[in-house]
Amino acid sequence: MGYKAKDLTVYINNINIIDKISFDFPSGSYVSIIGPNGAGKTTLLKTLAGLLNYKGSLSINNQNVKELFKNSNNFNCAYVPQIIGIPEGMSLIEYIFLGRNSFTNWFLSENKKDYDIVEEALNKLNLGSKKNQLVKSLSGGEMQRATLARALAQQANLLLLDEPTSSLDFARTQDFYKLITNLNKDLKLTIFLSTHDINSISRYSEYVIALKEGKNVFSGHINEILNEVFLSELYETKLKKIITEDGYSLFF
Amino acid sequence: MEKVFKISSKSLIISISLVFLSFLLSIGLGAAKIPPWEIINLFIYYFSENQGQIEINKINQIIIFEWRLPRFCLGFLVGASLAIAGCGFQGVFKNPLADPFLLGSAAGAGLGVTLIIVYNINFSFFIINSVQIGAFIGALGAVMCAAFISINAGKTIPSLLLAGVATAAFLTSCQTYFMHKYYSSMQEIYSWIIGRLLTSGWDEVITITPYFLICFLIIYLFRKELDLLRLSEDEARMLGGNPNITYFIVLTASSLLTAVAVSLSGLIAFVGLVIPHIVRLTVSSSYRVMIPLSALVGGAFLTFADTFSRIVISPAELPIGIVTAFIGAPFFAFLLKASKGSF
């Protein structure tokens, strides 16, 4: 059981973006995907989401990803791209209800169960007081929480986040990481998250996939890559490491 | 928790009241004025089992049931069709300037009608005449031409939009060439271009009704998909949407509605662009609400405009296309100002 890739290869417009990468993580893992710009982080997330064709094997709980998303009624994947669509004139509650789309059909609207699940998602993300506000008027941090609330409404088992904190300030970034760590622990959500923020993931993340030019230079426990030599080579720049008072690594 | 995506009873009552008011004005006003109570009386008589007990004016009965009611119905269906097609185009293109004529259907219909008129082609197919057939084939042909160009240019939504612009420009230049070559037909072509509602009994209403019902149902079934498309395409897919099928079905149904509407009424501008925006700005931006309400408001708006066009320089008639823009544009400008940056 878990998330397994073997020789996963992805071409986009005949260009090899992901080149024979392999990994194996248990369900409920919190995996960060790191690497320099253009390494293939977004492509890997989209492939995990079933949005791209691939060669090699990619399975979740021993089932092929595409078949799983197509045929399973109790497995849901939420994908949040780096640039989120913010619809004009849509209220937060309507935005979160979009997460229930695949549970309704062509003719019927949402039922009481859908309303209960959305309400629970709103409350869990502390967005209850904002539910009638337009999503356009939400702050960056609130918008990120709204995407998580939509994922909860979707009853997602797998959460794929593409550089979710790239537009957040320092405090909001820490809040966001704490939040998804709680979701990972409380709801046993598997999380794959791409980021450049090594210092935050060294605190919160459990596993890491390091990519460079489409190749997998490492996949495994995060502690194994928290050293100056590995990260300096990965990002092709000289990095220094210090250890904080509470025992975490900081790179600069 | 209050219901979401629901048509509020207030907005539904206002929309239905607008339709009812437009109905009374459309039926009641004209060379012979018929007061509302007589209209209601005539309808009670028409549907009554004991017709002998009700006194009615026979001339007014003929005016209503053979002339004004078909015209009201045609105006309502054309207005509703254009408004629904506008919702479909705006939903797919995510562009506030999108209207039913975006993919060249107006230019195609214009060229089709021009060719029929300048070459004096006269035939009919059941209850449909040659001008209507020319407009219908021209409108659908233009959309298919734009789609064909787009398929060969990467099948993307921006490429379809640009292919529509190129197709429209090319077909308009062809139409202009024929209009100049056959100068004597220019007035006849021009009077079609600026739009008019002409009925000969119920034929036009019978022609448009099945298209309207089927296409409305199809676009309405895609209401949730259109809401998902307001996010990014990838997000829509992950939430269970199918953008490619939605693009294809909604654009096909919207183009068919537009083609049949222009074939019966000419090029009535503004309705398909502005009515969805009016509903979006005043009621809701969800397509679950916009599609049905746009149909009601679009139908009411066009029948209001038609009534105005009939009475303002009576006994002559103004082209309805002039009236829709003349009334609609200032109202929309006012709404835009009130929306305070919603666009």
Side-chain angles (χ1 to χ4, degrees):
Chain A
M1 298 291 271
Y3 294 73
K4 288 182 190 170
K6 189 157 185 349
D7 294 333
L8 184 70
T9 303
V10 180
Y11 284 84
I12 298 177
N13 295 332
N14 294 323
I15 300 167
N16 186 197
I17 309 290
I18 299 276
D19 189 16
K20 289 186 178 170
I21 71 170
S22 301
F23 54 78
D24 184 354
F25 299 111
S27 284
S29 297
Y30 180 167
V31 185
S32 296
I33 305 169
I34 60 167
N37 290 333
K41 301 186 291 296
T42 298
T43 304
L44 178 57
L45 283 174
K46 282 189 174 188
T47 311
L48 277 165
L51 291 169
L52 298 174
N53 290 321
Y54 59 84
K55 291 175 184 165
S57 74
L58 178 61
S59 65
I60 297 174
N61 299 339
N62 298 326
Q63 269 189 280
N64 177 295
V65 162
K66 290 214 161 163
E67 293 302 313
L68 180 72
F69 290 157
K70 208 180 285 176
N71 301 328
S72 174
N73 292 324
N74 53 19
F75 190 90
N76 265 308
C77 165
Y79 167 65
V80 183
Q82 189 181 356
I83 298 167
I84 310 163
I86 299 179
E88 289 286 345
M90 187 182 278
S91 67
L92 174 62
I93 183 105
E94 289 176 334
Y95 184 80
I96 294 167
F97 258 104
L98 293 182
R100 299 303 298 162
N101 181 68
S102 51
F103 298 88
T104 60
N105 67 26
W106 293 83
F107 299 98
L108 293 177
S109 294
E110 292 77 8
N111 57 28
K112 187 177 179 303
K113 186 185 170 198
D114 297 310
Y115 276 85
D116 289 345
I117 289 169
V118 167
E119 184 131 43
E120 197 184 326
L122 274 169
N123 293 335
K124 194 150 191 83
L125 275 304
N126 274 331
L127 287 167
S129 62
K130 307 257 177 190
K131 65 181 179 186
N132 293 321
Q133 239 175 273
L134 294 180
V135 282
K136 194 183 167 190
S137 69
L138 297 178
S139 68
E142 287 166 346
M143 194 62 220
Q144 286 297 355
R145 279 191 283 146
T147 61
L148 292 179
R150 197 181 67 195
L152 294 190
Q154 204 183 335
Q155 293 180 302
N157 315 69
L158 169 62
L159 192 53
L160 304 168
L161 306 169
D162 194 358
E163 299 195 27
T165 57
S166 57
S167 61
L168 301 185
D169 65 37
F170 183 75
R172 248 47 62 189
T173 297
Q174 296 311 306
D175 290 346
F176 185 80
Y177 278 112
K178 282 177 196 160
L179 192 58
I180 55 171
T181 305
N182 288 340
L183 293 180
N184 170 248
K185 286 184 179 146
D186 297 349
L187 305 174
K188 308 276 182 281
L189 262 178
T190 303
I191 295 172
F192 281 76
L193 168 152
S194 74
T195 184
H196 292 297
D197 187 356
I198 307 289
N199 293 331
S200 292
I201 61 165
S202 69
R203 267 171 196 263
Y204 302 107
S205 187
E206 191 181 4
Y207 298 101
V208 70
I209 298 173
L211 297 175
K212 191 171 185 183
E213 293 170 359
K215 291 187 171 58
N216 188 5
V217 287
F218 178 81
S219 67
H221 203 279
I222 195 160
N223 286 342
E224 295 178 45
I225 61 142
L226 294 177
N227 61 73
E228 291 171 350
V229 177
F230 181 87
L231 291 174
S232 296
E233 266 182 36
L234 181 69
Y235 288 101
E236 293 176 354
T237 188
K238 187 101 183 110
L239 289 172
K240 284 269 179 203
K241 172 182 171 179
I242 54 168
I243 305 289
T244 60
E245 286 174 2
D246 50 1
Y248 291 106
S249 306
L250 272 184
F251 294 86
F252 59 94
Chain B
M1 195 189 291
E2 68 273 26
K3 292 269 180 194
V4 290
F5 305 120
K6 192 173 171 273
I7 301 175
S8 66
S9 41
K10 186 178 152 196
S11 58
L12 192 63
I13 288 167
I14 291 173
S15 305
I16 291 172
S17 304
L18 283 174
V19 175
F20 188 64
L21 185 63
S22 73
F23 167 78
L24 289 181
L25 291 175
S26 172
I27 303 285
L29 295 180
K33 291 185 176 50
I34 307 172
W37 53 88
E38 193 178 342
I39 296 170
I40 293 165
N41 203 24
L42 276 165
F43 270 86
I44 292 170
Y45 170 81
Y46 193 79
F47 293 106
S48 165
E49 286 177 6
N50 303 314
Q51 294 187 340
Q53 295 173 6
I54 304 170
E55 275 191 30
I56 52 124
N57 180 333
K58 285 279 178 195
I59 295 170
N60 284 351
Q61 185 191 2
I62 292 167
I63 290 173
I64 289 178
F65 289 101
E66 290 184 20
W67 195 68
R68 289 190 190 164
L69 188 59
R71 184 149 172 166
F72 165 80
C73 290
L74 180 66
F76 182 84
L77 290 171
V78 166
S81 296
L82 291 172
I84 296 165
C87 284
F89 274 83
Q90 287 173 13
V92 167
F93 288 102
K94 295 198 250 183
N95 184 327
L97 275 178
D99 81 346
F101 303 145
L102 191 69
L103 295 182
S105 49
L111 179 62
V113 168
T114 303
L115 291 173
I116 294 285
I117 292 173
V118 298
Y119 289 113
N120 202 16
I121 301 167
N122 271 312
F123 65 92
S124 62
F125 181 72
F126 294 109
I127 52 174
I128 312 167
N129 65 40
S130 51
V131 169
Q132 291 165 348
I133 290 172
F136 185 78
I137 292 173
L140 273 193
V143 174
M144 283 158 74
C145 181
F148 179 75
I149 296 169
S150 167
I151 286 167
N152 288 295
K155 283 193 210 169
T156 61
I157 286 295
S159 76
L160 182 59
L161 192 96
L162 292 171
V165 172
T167 306
F170 178 75
L171 297 177
T172 304
S173 71
C174 293
Q175 183 194 351
T176 312
Y177 165 77
F178 282 107
M179 282 171 73
H180 278 266
K181 190 175 177 194
Y182 298 92
Y183 193 76
S184 58
S185 305
M186 197 178 272
Q187 192 169 359
E188 195 181 345
I189 297 166
Y190 186 68
S191 79
W192 183 86
I193 286 174
I194 47 181
R196 78 275 177 271
L197 288 175
L198 280 182
T199 46
S200 50
W202 288 91
D203 285 355
E204 291 78 5
V205 178
I206 292 168
T207 306
I208 194 172
T209 301
Y211 284 98
F212 173 78
L213 291 176
I214 293 168
C215 294
F216 171 71
L217 183 66
I218 290 171
I219 296 171
Y220 185 68
L221 284 178
F222 276 82
R223 65 204 183 281
K224 294 181 190 172
E225 294 272 347
L226 288 171
D227 272 341
L228 284 183
L229 282 179
R230 296 164 69 196
L231 305 169
S232 67
E233 258 189 42
D234 284 339
E235 286 175 287
R237 280 198 183 91
M238 295 310 296
L239 292 167
N242 195 328
N244 288 338
I245 288 179
T246 307
Y247 294 149
F248 178 73
I249 303 281
V250 171
L251 284 182
T252 303
S254 301
S255 299
L256 210 56
L257 265 183
T258 309
V260 74
V262 295
S263 72
L264 296 175
S265 65
L267 304 179
I268 299 176
F270 215 66
V271 179
L273 172 71
V274 162
I275 297 299
H277 282 318
I278 288 176
V279 176
R280 181 180 287 124
L281 288 171
T282 53
V283 186
S284 168
S285 59
S286 166
Y287 285 92
R288 302 198 204 186
V289 176
M290 275 175 62
I291 293 170
L293 286 191
S294 293
L296 291 173
V297 178
F301 176 72
L302 201 67
T303 45
F304 274 130
D306 182 48
T307 308
F308 189 76
S309 76
R310 282 193 290 117
I311 60 172
V312 72
I313 53 167
S314 178
E317 278 189 24
L318 266 180
I320 192 170
I322 294 175
V323 180
T324 52
F326 186 78
I327 301 175
F331 178 64
F332 188 58
F334 165 75
L335 264 184
L336 267 183
K337 183 174 173 286
S339 73
K340 291 193 184 354
S342 286
F343 283 98

